[in-house]
Amino acid sequence: MSEYKAGSNLEKVLKAGHFAFTGECGPPQGANIELLKEKAGHLKGCVDAVNVTDNQTAVVRMSSWAASLVLLQEGLEPNFQMVCRDRNRLAIQSDILGVYTHGIRNMLCLSGDHQKFGDHPESKNVFDIDSMQLINTVKTMRDDGKFLNGKDIDVPPRLFIGAASNPFAEPFDFRVYRLAKKIEAGADFVQTQCIYNMDRFREFMKRAVDMGLHEKCYLLAGVTPMKSVGMARYMAKQVPGMEVPESLIKRLKGAGKGKVAEEGIKFAIEQIHEFEEMEGVAGVHLMAIEWEHRVPEIAERAGVLPRPQV
Amino acid sequence: MNDFKPQIVAFCCSNCASSAAAVADGMKKTLPDNVKIIQVPCTGRIEILHLLKAFEQGADGVYVAGCQDDSCRYISGIKKAAKRVAGVKRILEEIEMDPERINIFNLCAGQGQRFVEVAYEMINRLKEIGPSPVK
Amino acid sequence: MIVAEPKPIKELLEMVQDFNKILVIGCKGCVTVCNVGGLKEVGILASTLKIARKKDGREIEVGEHVLERQCDPEYIDEVKDIIDDYDAVISLACGVGPQFLSERYPSARIFPGVNTKFMGGAVEHGVWSERCAGCGQCVIHYFGGLCPIARCSKSLMNGPCGGSSHGKCEISDDVDCIWDIIVRKMMAQGRLDELVKFRPPKSWTTARDGGPRKMVREELVI
Ligand code: SF4
Ligand code: SF4
């Protein structure tokens, strides 16, 4: 057996002790493969792996596994996301086998946004299992070589298991325990919700480190640069479980006309630098939503290039 | 304006509206004969069904006259009545009848003048709306 | 109890537009308690149907009847002598009632008069809220006596999700995040250790997913 759990590039980078840098790419709302390739192209060479979202915000898009395969062909390493909203345990397990067969090695396990605010609110949801159980399913399939029903798998899939954590959702005191629970369930790495409230995140990390969670799992801090004051306000008010401090909104406003985006990027870079120094943080997950073309610049200015070859 | 004489059923609380009626009487102000008064001990006792029955039997309009919100003899009777009147308004709307055919008024025992005004207010409103289609 | 809401009159009028003799049947069970299908509501619906029809100049005869329960063949039998006098029946019971009527009276035209919503109770006057999804294998004792299957929008067994904010669920400010309540309650009870315990996937065989359900209790069968 190899020294790696799955042997993905991301796993190797983390295991070698490098500060990881991951990106994100939303599949197109259609079969526009050229658009997907273009978006992904910006990330090439800048990140260790690219999260491929799964009908994010419950809006129908090209399936995450299919888009992940396109990324693979383009020479990028996908971090295949899967939500529990749209599949029962049969579909979940068969998709896991399928993606592994095609060379996908990272998988991020999520519950998924409720369909109520998506583009098909009339749909029925599944939620046969939850994200915690999904993490454990992938682990059981990989480490025990068994399906959820206890039956043996003929060639088990070997995936590097990711989970999400929202340090800002409530109840705050329980969040770090829920993170511990995800690690216990089988998460190898964790990517957090976008961080804006640094004080709160420092507190969260302190608790995680006190509990020794950073030794059991790689924690990647989530960063999304603000493009505008409107976006900051929207995030503050409309996105459940998101915390944007008033001081940040003020800072963006203070930048003046035409300079807000630059200020947003500056803040993101400052964050990345702080995360590099922060105990327990193993990397950054950059979610530059519909801003993929700015990723090379951000990576360059943050000083995370070139990415390590492992 | 027109000689349509709307048939109106008025549910009146015996505590306030009826004493107002007595005052009106003393002032020699009388209600027109097309307003039929039904005296109730408290407007809170009026059910949606009572109000509907009036319409079912061909009334052009219905109103409830009761106490002020804060001086109801039975505390919340008038508020309940207001909710039921609103309920009937919704039903009328749903079956495409003018919800203004029903209303509620708050009175005080001494307001003889107002008691009569209310009746005329309803008559005028119903003259505009026209006869009930339920005949 | 089973909580239901009235169907819009318009919808009902459309359903029965081809019929002129209609029997409205209420039920003295849950739907009486939640004010949609008892004696009062039967009267209101009957009167409304008459007003609406008269308004359109169409004759209608509406009968009114209220049964003890519509989920019991014994009571359903009660209307056997009158049901044939009508061309259509509107049942104001939960979804069970009109089906029991449909099964017992194969030639009758039966219409549902209410929308059956959920199993729950009145949390205040005029406000009802869901409590149970009838999963067939109750597990609320793991969750501080509160049900995440019915009350978490995602039926999470290991919540709360990242969308929980200010005690509200991500789907709406009107919906409490039950996981927020579970966590606070269990932490206050000093049961953090239970809360961090992994809850494995639930078997849905006992829920609707296992197919339509039937229960036999031998000791009661005669
Ligand atoms: S666990 Fe099942 S049976 Fe118990 S309250 Fe929840 S849905 Fe109902
Ligand atoms: S916010 Fe709370 S109730 Fe809503 S889906 Fe998440 S955990 Fe469940």
Side-chain angles (χ1 to χ4, degrees), chain A residues 51 108-111 131-132 135 162-169 172 174-183 187 189-195 201 204-205 208 213 217-223 241-242 285 287, chain C residues 160-163:
Chain A
N51 284 36
L108 188 79
C109 306
L110 305 163
S111 294
S131 59
M132 197 74 67
I135 292 166
S165 169
N166 185 351
F168 309 102
F172 181 63
F174 184 65
R175 287 295 157 180
V176 73
Y177 293 110
R178 188 154 193 267
L179 170 61
K181 198 171 165 177
K182 284 195 171 173
I183 296 168
F189 70 100
V190 164
Q191 293 169 321
T192 76
Q193 169 74 290
C194 340
I195 298 157
F201 184 68
F204 177 83
M205 275 315 296
L213 300 184
C217 176
Y218 301 104
L219 305 175
L220 275 61
V223 172
M242 180 84 69
H285 177 49
M287 294 162 272
Chain C
C161 78

Side-chain angles (χ1 to χ4, degrees), chain A:
Chain A
M1 209 200 230
S2 97
E3 53 176 321
Y4 296 113
K5 289 174 172 172
S8 71
N9 180 57
L10 179 62
E11 182 182 9
K12 288 177 182 162
V13 166
L14 286 164
K15 195 148 196 226
H18 298 292
F19 190 75
F21 196 64
T22 55
E24 186 153 312
C25 184
Q29 291 183 49
N32 192 342
I33 187 169
E34 293 313 321
L35 177 71
L36 176 64
K37 284 181 178 171
E38 187 208 312
K39 275 189 180 182
H42 296 301
L43 303 178
K44 205 167 177 178
C46 301
V47 292
D48 304 315
V50 180
N51 284 36
V52 182
T53 55
D54 182 12
N55 289 340
Q56 193 172 12
T57 61
V59 168
V60 174
R61 293 165 178 276
M62 181 189 292
S63 59
S64 58
W65 66 259
S68 293
L69 293 191
V70 173
L71 261 60
L72 261 186
Q73 288 156 12
E74 292 295 295
L76 284 138
E77 175 167 286
N79 179 14
F80 162 65
Q81 297 196 1
M82 186 193 275
V83 299
C84 300
R85 179 192 59 230
D86 308 333
R87 305 167 174 78
N88 67 6
R89 62 190 84 178
L90 276 89
I92 284 173
Q93 293 178 100
S94 72
D95 276 353
I96 290 171
L97 296 177
V99 297
Y100 175 71
T101 307
H102 283 283
I104 288 168
R105 292 294 176 266
N106 306 306
M107 172 172 164
L108 188 79
C109 306
L110 305 163
S111 294
D113 297 318
H114 195 270
Q115 77 276 9
K116 180 158 181 178
F117 295 115
D119 65 350
H120 286 69
E122 313 81 357
S123 66
K124 193 166 174 171
N125 59 42
V126 183
F127 296 119
D128 177 10
I129 63 175
D130 65 19
S131 59
M132 197 74 67
Q133 295 159 345
L134 177 58
I135 292 166
N136 198 248
T137 300
V138 189
K139 184 180 163 71
T140 307
M141 290 173 80
R142 180 189 70 194
D143 296 351
D144 304 344
K146 293 200 189 299
F147 289 114
L148 269 175
N149 61 2
K151 293 246 166 72
D152 287 337
I153 300 174
D154 179 13
V155 183
R158 308 192 55 78
L159 292 160
F160 192 47
I161 306 168
S165 169
N166 185 351
F168 309 102
E170 287 172 296
F172 181 63
D173 285 336
F174 184 65
R175 287 295 157 180
V176 73
Y177 293 110
R178 188 154 193 267
L179 170 61
K181 198 171 165 177
K182 284 195 171 173
I183 296 168
E184 201 60 36
D188 301 311
F189 70 100
V190 164
Q191 293 169 321
T192 76
Q193 169 74 290
C194 340
I195 298 157
Y196 296 107
N197 185 338
M198 292 297 280
D199 288 340
R200 211 161 195 194
F201 184 68
R202 285 181 201 111
E203 169 65 24
F204 177 83
M205 275 315 296
K206 199 179 149 298
R207 292 190 195 183
V209 169
D210 285 348
M211 286 168 71
L213 300 184
H214 63 305
E215 281 158 1
K216 299 181 187 161
C217 176
Y218 301 104
L219 305 175
L220 275 61
V223 172
T224 292
M226 291 287 193
K227 292 190 224 178
S228 64
V229 178
M231 171 177 171
R233 288 235 173 80
Y234 175 80
M235 292 259 210
K237 293 224 169 59
Q238 305 293 324
V239 183
M242 180 84 69
E243 246 210 72
V244 185
E246 197 48 44
S247 59
L248 175 60
I249 297 179
K250 245 195 207 139
R251 174 173 164 182
L252 292 171
K253 265 203 285 196
K257 231 181 155 202
K259 292 183 192 132
V260 177
E262 170 57 25
E263 197 61 35
I265 290 180
K266 262 194 202 150
F267 179 69
I269 291 169
E270 286 165 27
Q271 285 184 298
I272 296 171
H273 286 147
E274 180 170 348
F275 293 140
E276 279 175 322
E277 303 302 319
M278 201 180 284
E279 189 180 4
V281 178
V284 158
H285 177 49
L286 183 71
M287 294 162 272
I289 309 156
E290 296 305 321
W291 232 21
E292 289 82 0
H293 63 284
R294 302 295 293 265
V295 171
E297 178 199 338
I298 298 170
E300 177 70 52
R301 287 171 60 188
V304 297
L305 295 182
R307 296 310 308 151
Q309 301 295 316
V310 282

Side-chain angles (χ1 to χ4, degrees), chain C residues 131-140 147 149-150 202:
Chain C
R131 286 294 178 273
C132 173
C135 77
Q137 173 58 49
C138 198
V139 290
I140 59 172
C147 176
I149 311 294
K202 187 169 165 63

Side-chain angles (χ1 to χ4, degrees), chain B residues 73-89:
Chain B
R73 171 112 185 250
Y74 298 102
I75 302 160
S76 62
I78 186 70
K79 284 188 188 145
K80 277 191 195 135
K83 286 201 168 157
R84 289 177 189 150
V85 167
V88 174
K89 277 183 185 284

Side-chain angles (χ1 to χ4, degrees), chain C residues 1-5 27-37 71 92-97 114-122 128-132:
Chain C
M1 72 176 133
I2 293 178
V3 179
E5 67 176 10
C27 171
K28 290 188 192 160
C30 309
V31 288
T32 290
V33 184
C34 64
N35 305 77
V36 284
C71 53
L92 289 190
C94 74
V96 179
V114 306
N115 291 324
T116 305
K117 309 283 282 187
F118 50 77
M119 282 186 267
W128 290 267
S129 138
E130 183 164 16
R131 286 294 178 273
C132 173

Side-chain angles (χ1 to χ4, degrees), chain B residues 37-58:
Chain B
I37 304 264
I38 297 173
Q39 195 169 310
V40 291
C42 170
T43 51
R45 295 291 298 276
I46 305 166
E47 294 288 350
I48 286 183
L49 187 55
H50 298 133
L51 303 168
L52 285 176
K53 283 285 173 196
F55 285 112
E56 192 186 319
Q57 275 149 34

Side-chain angles (χ1 to χ4, degrees), chain B residues 11-31:
Chain B
F11 292 86
C12 297
C13 161
S14 58
N15 295 298
C16 51
S18 300
S19 10
V23 175
D25 232 17
M27 292 159 73
K28 299 269 178 285
K29 288 194 193 279
T30 46
L31 280 188

